[in-house]
Amino acid sequence: MNIKKCWINETDSGLVSLTIESENPTVNITGETRQVMVKEMTFPKNPTPEHPLRHTINLGLLNEEDVLKLYNTIREHLGVW
């Protein structure tokens, strides 16, 4: 993905958002160009008290540098708290 910048914005409610800006939103995997994927889902389809509804957000096709940049941004922000 080649993240150019990422930053955390605080909201009035005390929550934060993580913003990511990339140099190039596509990656080349074994000769095939694919776009970085963001996938959101909830599961299970029929939640119960034993298996409550869960929510996931998946940011896929990141390289090691991208993960390190995200890690450092989050760590710097947490140092402020």
Side-chain angles (χ1 to χ4, degrees):
M1 177 177 188
N2 301 321
I3 292 175
K4 181 178 179 181
K5 284 174 43 179
C6 61
W7 60 96
I8 294 176
N9 297 303
E10 294 190 33
T11 66
D12 293 336
S13 63
L15 300 175
V16 299
S17 65
L18 176 64
T19 305
I20 300 167
E21 178 184 335
S22 67
E23 286 271 312
N24 184 358
T26 60
V27 293
N28 189 316
I29 300 174
T30 61
E32 179 185 350
T33 300
R34 296 179 57 191
Q35 188 161 353
V36 172
M37 76 174 178
V38 178
K39 183 177 180 181
E40 179 181 8
M41 66 180 247
T42 55
F43 66 95
K45 188 174 182 178
N46 298 310
T48 66
E50 298 83 25
H51 301 285
L53 186 65
R54 295 178 194 80
H55 177 247
T56 63
I57 300 170
N58 182 336
L59 180 60
L61 302 179
L62 300 176
N63 63 26
E64 190 173 330
E65 279 182 42
D66 295 334
V67 174
L68 189 58
K69 191 167 285 201
L70 290 169
Y71 170 80
N72 287 334
T73 298
I74 293 167
R75 191 164 174 212
E76 285 173 25
H77 184 79
L78 290 176
V80 173
W81 282 355

